[in-house]
Amino acid sequence: MLKIEHLTKSFGAKKAVDDLTLHIAPGEIYGFIGHNGAGKTTTLRSVAGIQQFDEGEIRINGRSIRTEPLECKREMAYIPDNPDLYEYMSGIKFLNFIADIFGVSPQERKDRIHDYAERFELTADLAQPIAAYSHGMKQKLAIISAWIHRPKLILMDEPFVGLDPKAAHLLKEMMREVCDQGGAIFFSTHVLEVAEKLCDKVAIIKQGQLIRSGTMEEVKGDDSLEEVFLELEEDSSEE
Amino acid sequence: MLKLLVKKQLMEVFRAYFYNSKKNTSRSKAGIIVMFGGFIIIMAGVLGGTFAFLAFNLCAPLVEAGIDWLYFAVMGLLGIFLGVFGSVFNTFSTLYLAKDNDFLLSMPIPVKDIMVSRLINVYLLSLMYSIVVLLPSVIVYWITVPVTPTVILGGIVLLILIPLFVTLLSCLLGWCVAKVSLRLKNKSLITVLLSLAFFAAYYFLYFKAQGLLSDVIANAAVYGENIKGAAYGIYLFGRIGTGDLVAILLFTVVILALTAAVWMLLQKTFLSISTATGAVKKTVYHEKTAQQKTPGRALLGREITHFLSNPNYMLNCGLGIILLPALGIFMLIKGRELVEALESVFSFGAGVTTILICVALCMVVSMNDMVVPSVSLEGKSIWLAQSLPVRPWQVLKSKLMMQLLLTGIPLLFALVCVFGMIPDGVPVRILAVVFCLVNLLLLSLFGLFLGLKFANVKWTNEITPIKQGMAVLIIIFGSWIYCAAIAGLYLWQGYKIGPAAYLGILIALDGLFCVGLYLWLRRQGCRKFAEL
């Protein structure tokens, strides 16, 4: 589904991502863990086709994001860490805009908006301007907009921030549904307990370099993910 | 603390002068000097030059007639008008709508420091607009009369206190807008309507002032006596610049008292207004099947929605939408008389009236520059346009289409109204129409080019890209200079080749520039947008 090969991106003299290689297969929920500034957002933005990168290759279902960006983008959705949406639109206008861009038919979008908005308890607020939404409501709207065209790959940067417990639980269910239907999820998080329970695979990144990746069992063994993460952080600091 | 906040405000306003968004680096000292030099040339050279010319014409006759106070009264009021016109619309958003209000209020910063830093921003903007009238006026007066210490003091008081007075007026108007908008549902529309009423009044006074000024020079003594008798305040106001110590003292005391009153009013209400969410009734959502649009139409709809949602955007970048039809209707009513008058004045060369009509239309067209800030207005939500499956050119094209549609339709209406008034044959009339349309295309492409070149998506207040960016400054003054050059060249030499050939050459030149700009936008422009 997603192949990241030797991804490298520098900002001036600083390497934000350094020779990163990751493969994500259909049906996998892949967690991406690292300290602040480790390179998670840069990686996700590169995969989403927002950030131009210096070296390496990113392929989505065999297509390169560099040479076939539109085809790649049609198959995925991206939710950033801060849901800065079009505040001058109402929630429903925004969802219709996204559906238009992805060519979702009127009936399908109506059904999906109805379904997701009901699940996230956002229906009553859909006619309100996004400017009047709270952070959590914006996050819910961003999630609905990401799901509206049924993408095969969903990229999310800290998706649980701002969500109430009920919405967070619902999002976890929806993530699993996507993977059960053959899709894949690649998301970053600082909440290691969530990653441990939810992810099939996990990658730990530090200062732009991948320091460990694999299935949850391979990465953590008998320890908790938190213990492994802190241990790896200390080890690489000593080196 | 205050110094830091003021520095932050100024850094935001003049960000493009210090930071090169193309290279993602700070500008060199030389680069900063060049940027500020260009800004000063536009403000002091173009605007200041115009008012210096007016001051030279007005000062000597009024000083000779012994009513130099009337000179300062006229120029001072002009300064106030220009200052209020320039700063009133952004005072409300600067004070109450700044995106970092919540952030700053959450920190251990005294509220009064936040207010003062915002007010200094408004003051500097008022100063920038009013000083282009006041400084030439004062200098011309000092050249014309023997300079004494009290005359110098009067000039300095005017230069400092008139912008302060403008700031106070802007704050009061901004406060009224804030109070009203908290209770309104269709805020954008009502704000626009109220502002347009203000514009109409402003232009009415402005055009009346042209005739009045000529009349004042011709009948200075009579006007002087009448104003002195009926409006003693204006007489005293005018006396400040002449060095009348009583007038200086009175004016200073009045302004300081007003400042204190406005400060108290703002201090009492700032927190509640800037943190209010409004008590507007919630819009009920009714589920319905939406009509499917193509990505191109959806992007165009997004641009128009953004434009219509923001009164500042509409007022600063879309006045031509109303003024073009107004000009057309005016020409239908008064066009014949105007054309006859122009024909008799410019009887030396054929086609002058046609060129002047084209120039007038192009000048009004240039009041629509919504495409210029549209790139920067993407702001923090630019990730959406970059992550959705649309090419950068599709996004840029939608911005271009918004400008072409919102200006093209009113322009076509105006052209239909004007077509019959053009005192030349049908071929020249058709060329005039083509020229106006090509000029609109050029303005739109150039606007988008500037919007990309000076793109700044890291603003905290929408007014920054709408009003204070370098791109907006260049498009406004650039199009005025371009229009003036077209008229000036024709009056100087162009009339010798006639309107048809002149318009033909202009169309060809504009067309060439359009092709160049289009190619740049398709290649470098798209790349630049993708990298923002």
Side-chain angles (χ1 to χ4, degrees):
Chain A
M1 177 72 75
L2 170 64
K3 282 188 176 178
I4 304 171
E5 306 273 1
H6 308 291
L7 178 70
T8 301
K9 170 69 189 173
S10 300
F11 293 106
K14 195 198 168 202
K15 273 194 174 173
V17 183
D18 188 3
D19 197 30
L20 181 90
T21 297
L22 267 182
H23 293 178
I24 299 173
E28 282 180 355
I29 298 183
Y30 211 119
F32 202 29
I33 298 165
H35 59 87
N36 293 327
K40 301 185 297 294
T41 299
T42 304
T43 306
L44 285 165
R45 282 170 60 87
S46 300
V47 177
I50 300 169
Q51 185 82 63
Q52 318 284 311
F53 46 92
D54 306 327
E55 287 168 44
E57 184 59 280
I58 296 170
R59 290 186 180 278
I60 291 141
N61 282 333
R63 290 189 168 115
S64 163
I65 189 79
R66 267 192 210 268
T67 55
E68 297 176 274
L70 259 55
E71 290 73 12
C72 291
K73 287 174 182 179
R74 280 196 194 102
E75 295 193 20
M76 64 178 165
Y78 168 67
I79 302 174
D81 53 348
N82 207 355
D84 290 306
L85 310 175
Y86 298 135
E87 303 222 330
Y88 47 86
M89 287 185 182
S90 64
I92 187 66
K93 204 161 187 175
F94 176 73
L95 292 176
N96 276 316
F97 168 74
I98 299 291
D100 283 332
I101 295 292
F102 282 97
V104 182
S105 73
Q107 192 53 49
E108 274 178 333
R109 79 174 70 170
K110 189 183 167 190
D111 294 343
R112 287 173 196 173
I113 291 171
H114 176 86
D115 177 28
Y116 294 130
E118 283 292 317
R119 286 161 80 174
F120 278 113
E121 296 171 344
L122 204 63
T123 309
D125 295 296
L126 282 179
Q128 292 296 101
I130 296 174
Y133 281 23
S134 68
H135 185 279
M137 288 161 79
K138 284 181 195 168
Q139 186 72 358
K140 288 176 184 176
L141 192 69
I143 293 167
I144 298 173
S145 72
W147 254 256
I148 204 166
H149 67 285
R150 296 273 154 91
K152 289 177 185 147
L153 173 66
I154 299 177
L155 312 166
M156 292 185 283
D157 200 352
E158 292 291 346
F160 298 102
V161 174
L163 289 182
D164 55 59
K166 195 176 171 187
H169 177 72
L170 179 60
L171 176 61
K172 287 177 213 164
E173 276 182 4
M174 285 166 64
M175 287 163 76
R176 183 49 65 196
E177 280 170 23
V178 169
C179 293
D180 290 346
Q181 289 158 11
I185 306 269
F186 184 36
F187 78 106
S188 73
T189 183
H190 287 298
V191 191
L192 300 182
E193 292 81 6
V194 170
E196 196 169 346
K197 284 180 188 162
L198 192 64
C199 298
D200 303 307
K201 282 186 176 173
V202 68
I204 301 175
I205 184 174
K206 187 178 181 192
Q207 288 167 352
Q209 290 181 323
L210 192 69
I211 51 176
R212 188 173 288 188
S213 68
T215 63
M216 193 56 76
E217 289 69 32
E218 283 168 356
V219 170
K220 74 181 184 75
D222 294 331
D223 298 323
S224 73
L225 187 60
E226 189 179 23
E227 284 166 339
V228 175
F229 177 73
L230 294 174
E231 200 178 303
L232 285 169
E233 284 280 310
E234 277 172 26
D235 286 351
S236 48
S237 300
E238 283 165 15
E239 283 165 21
Chain B
M1 180 63 72
L2 182 61
K3 202 175 152 190
L4 264 178
L5 288 172
V6 172
K7 197 177 164 189
K8 180 207 76 76
Q9 284 288 131
L10 294 179
M11 283 293 284
E12 195 180 312
V13 174
F14 293 105
R15 188 172 183 271
Y17 293 66
F18 295 101
Y19 173 76
N20 187 337
S21 59
K22 191 179 172 186
K23 294 177 184 166
N24 203 21
T25 53
S26 297
R27 289 189 192 280
S28 63
K29 271 189 182 168
I32 294 170
I33 291 168
V34 168
M35 293 293 285
F36 275 100
F39 176 71
I40 290 166
I41 287 168
I42 290 171
M43 291 306 286
V46 180
L47 275 176
T50 310
F51 287 108
F53 180 72
L54 176 67
F56 269 115
N57 283 318
L58 208 59
C59 189
L62 294 181
V63 169
E64 272 173 31
I67 45 171
D68 31 5
W69 61 268
L70 188 56
Y71 164 72
F72 276 111
V74 171
M75 297 308 282
L77 287 174
L78 261 177
I80 291 171
F81 268 118
L82 195 75
V84 172
F85 186 69
S87 64
V88 67
F89 295 109
N90 85 334
T91 305
F92 165 59
S93 49
T94 302
L95 275 176
Y96 303 113
L97 298 182
K99 290 208 171 191
D100 58 353
N101 264 349
D102 283 4
F103 175 63
L104 294 179
L105 286 170
S106 73
M107 291 202 285
I109 303 171
V111 176
K112 70 172 174 43
D113 282 9
I114 300 172
M115 282 173 59
V116 171
S117 69
R118 305 265 193 247
L119 288 174
I120 287 174
N121 190 21
V122 178
Y123 177 77
L124 289 176
L125 206 71
S126 310
L127 182 72
M128 192 175 85
Y129 279 99
S130 51
I131 205 122
V132 291
V133 182
L134 298 174
L135 195 61
S137 310
V138 169
I139 292 171
V140 167
Y141 185 71
W142 289 353
I143 293 168
T144 313
V145 300
V147 180
T148 62
T150 51
V151 167
I152 293 174
L153 178 68
I156 292 169
V157 166
L158 277 180
L159 291 175
I160 295 170
L161 292 188
I162 284 186
L164 183 58
F165 181 60
V166 169
T167 305
L168 298 177
L169 278 179
S170 300
C171 286
L172 281 175
L173 285 166
W175 179 80
C176 292
V177 173
K179 291 296 271 185
V180 172
S181 71
L182 277 177
R183 296 170 203 284
L184 291 178
K185 201 171 176 186
N186 295 316
K187 286 177 196 170
S188 305
L189 185 69
I190 290 167
T191 311
V192 168
L193 289 175
L194 282 174
S195 307
L196 283 176
F198 177 82
F199 274 121
Y202 180 85
Y203 279 108
F204 178 76
L205 284 172
Y206 178 79
F207 287 117
K208 284 279 172 198
Q210 301 278 326
L212 197 66
L213 281 177
S214 317
D215 212 25
V216 164
I217 295 171
N219 308 292
V222 180
Y223 271 101
E225 280 307 309
N226 286 345
I227 293 172
K228 197 174 163 183
Y232 197 74
I234 292 179
Y235 166 72
L236 267 182
F237 173 68
R239 292 284 298 166
I240 299 163
T242 65
D244 183 330
L245 283 174
V246 177
I248 292 170
L249 194 69
L250 263 174
F251 183 64
T252 309
V253 169
V254 168
I255 292 292
L256 291 179
L258 270 173
T259 308
V262 171
W263 173 255
M264 279 163 67
L265 176 76
L266 292 181
Q267 202 178 25
K268 212 173 164 187
T269 55
F270 177 75
L271 258 184
S272 60
I273 295 177
S274 59
T275 54
T277 50
V280 177
K281 204 178 161 191
K282 195 173 171 180
T283 314
V284 181
Y285 170 63
H286 298 288
E287 196 175 86
K288 57 183 175 191
T289 309
Q291 217 180 6
Q292 190 171 351
K293 294 178 194 161
T294 60
R297 274 191 61 203
L299 287 167
L300 176 62
R302 177 189 76 124
E303 293 296 338
I304 292 174
T305 304
H306 195 173
F307 178 73
L308 295 176
S309 71
N310 188 330
N312 273 318
Y313 196 6
M314 284 191 268
L315 287 166
N316 285 288
C317 307
L319 265 187
I321 296 172
I322 288 175
L323 292 181
L324 278 166
L327 180 66
I329 292 165
F330 171 80
M331 286 299 282
L332 280 178
I333 299 165
K334 291 269 185 184
R336 297 260 174 238
E337 290 169 43
L338 188 70
V339 168
E340 277 171 26
L342 287 171
E343 286 284 277
S344 61
V345 172
F346 298 107
S347 54
F348 62 91
V352 175
T353 307
T354 304
I355 301 298
L356 289 181
I357 289 173
C358 289
V359 165
L361 284 166
C362 291
M363 284 195 82
V364 184
V365 162
S366 74
M367 298 179 93
N368 276 9
D369 59 350
M370 59 279 284
V371 71
V372 182
S374 66
V375 177
S376 296
L377 280 173
E378 294 277 351
K380 286 177 183 165
S381 56
I382 194 161
W383 67 271
L384 272 161
Q386 290 171 333
S387 67
L388 291 173
V390 286
R391 293 186 192 286
W393 174 242
Q394 283 178 284
V395 181
L396 296 181
K397 197 170 82 176
S398 68
K399 296 177 188 302
L400 208 56
M401 286 305 292
M402 166 180 65
Q403 167 88 24
L404 290 172
L405 271 176
L406 295 181
T407 316
I409 293 168
L411 175 62
L412 281 173
F413 176 83
L415 283 169
V416 169
C417 298
V418 163
F419 194 79
M421 306 289 166
I422 295 173
D424 284 297
V426 173
V428 174
R429 290 180 193 183
I430 292 171
L431 278 171
V433 170
V434 173
F435 168 69
C436 289
L437 294 173
V438 172
N439 179 72
L440 166 62
L441 183 64
L442 178 66
L443 180 88
S444 309
L445 289 165
F446 186 56
L448 188 54
F449 165 80
L450 288 174
L452 282 161
K453 272 278 176 192
F454 296 95
N456 164 22
V457 290
K458 293 186 174 98
W459 40 265
T460 50
N461 190 325
E462 279 196 325
I463 203 73
T464 308
I466 289 173
K467 201 164 183 174
Q468 296 165 350
M470 191 63 178
V472 174
L473 207 67
I474 293 175
I475 199 83
I476 291 172
F477 293 114
S479 43
W480 288 359
I481 292 167
Y482 173 73
C483 289
I486 289 172
L489 277 172
Y490 192 79
L491 288 168
W492 179 48
Q493 292 290 322
Y495 67 90
K496 290 177 184 169
I497 59 170
Y502 190 73
L503 285 170
I505 293 168
L506 287 177
I507 291 167
L509 282 174
D510 280 5
L512 272 177
F513 280 122
C514 284
V515 171
L517 285 166
Y518 175 78
L519 291 174
W520 187 91
L521 289 168
R522 288 301 306 253
R523 289 171 196 162
Q524 289 96 319
C526 287
R527 208 160 41 232
K528 166 104 185 169
F529 183 79
E531 287 168 4
L532 279 175

